[in-house]
Amino acid sequence: MKHINLSFAACGFLGIYHLGAASALRRHGKKLLKDVKAFAGASAGSLVASVLLTAPEKIEECNEFTYKFAEETRRQLLGAVTPGYDFMARLRSGMESILPANAHELAHNRLHISITNTKTRENDLVSSFSSREDLIKVLLASSFVPVYAGLKPVEYRGQKWVDGGFTNSLPILPVGRTVTISPFSGRLDISPQDEEQLGLYVNVTNQNILVFAHAGTSIQITFSQGEVKERGWSLWNVLCTVQSLRGAHSCPDSSGRTDKTRTRTTTPLSSHYTGAAHLSADLLSIHSFASYS
């Protein structure tokens, strides 16, 4: 059996897509999750990776916190930079309420968090945590965007650190096959599937992102009323990837049929994942997708 890792990209509040992917993996990729050796992430991706590894039963609680946090930030006069509003303190409160007391033990050598050193401007992947507080500090460092999140970088082990997305927004671990997850459409395993209008991809700190003809980065956030929302797309993308890991050559559409135009290029890993996802028409209906929104 091959070594498998999961890596969640940096993406700010678009991390709600990651939560949708995590929920879908828990429900329909249980065998896959059992075989995941390591988790990695940057910024919001590291937060979701930490929850999926140490407290998977709290994914929905994390989802509720994210929505409330986003709404609270948006209500501020100047958003996160409003004087008197402590963005990082609010983020810390969420971590402290969700991460278990032994989170650092569960994460030790299995969770790889991307952070950026302010002095050297180099990236570091931290995977060793001496305490729960140590883990929380690294997660805060990976999520610290200067000015937006505050003016003082996070201090960790005598040095100052900021968002890991600046130097490595999608960690690829050196050992095994890393399954990549991102809300940005591109050359990734689990991501929104947009049509290639220009066939142009831009590498942004380790993420190959598809660029639209109108020069905007391809991001699927929400659709019009009555259509699938982003977390629904997370489910479709996860099921598509699990199909690829099983050895299937095409992805199911919303009716449960396979669509040759949505073929994934992921190399099959093992027939071990046969049955990891129940790909019935009901499961893949728009109604099922919408239930994840």
Side-chain angles (χ1 to χ4, degrees), residues 40-43 46 111-118 120-129 134 138-139 141-143 156-157 159-173:
S43 196
S46 68
L111 177 63
H112 301 259
I113 303 173
S114 173
I115 56 178
T116 302
N117 189 294
T118 59
T120 65
R121 298 184 181 181
E122 293 182 352
N123 183 264
D124 191 14
L125 281 180
V126 182
S127 59
S128 177
F129 314 98
D134 200 44
V138 178
L139 288 170
S142 186
S143 304
Y156 170 68
R157 294 182 179 175
Q159 298 187 62
K160 296 180 179 180
W161 306 84
V162 295
D163 199 309
F166 289 127
T167 48
N168 187 355
S169 63
L170 186 63
I172 304 298
L173 301 183

Side-chain angles (χ1 to χ4, degrees), residues 88-100:
M88 295 300 283
R90 187 71 180 90
L91 181 58
R92 171 184 274 275
S93 70
M95 293 183 196
E96 292 180 341
S97 67
I98 293 172
L99 295 178

Side-chain angles (χ1 to χ4, degrees), residues 218-251:
S218 171
I219 308 172
Q220 295 213 23
I221 303 175
T222 57
F223 296 83
S224 60
Q225 185 176 4
E227 293 184 305
V228 186
K229 292 185 179 179
E230 180 169 352
R231 293 191 71 201
W233 275 105
S234 293
L235 171 60
W236 188 89
N237 301 143
V238 166
L239 293 176
C240 188
T241 298
V242 172
Q243 277 285 72
S244 296
L245 295 176
R246 291 174 57 194
H249 299 294
S250 56
C251 300

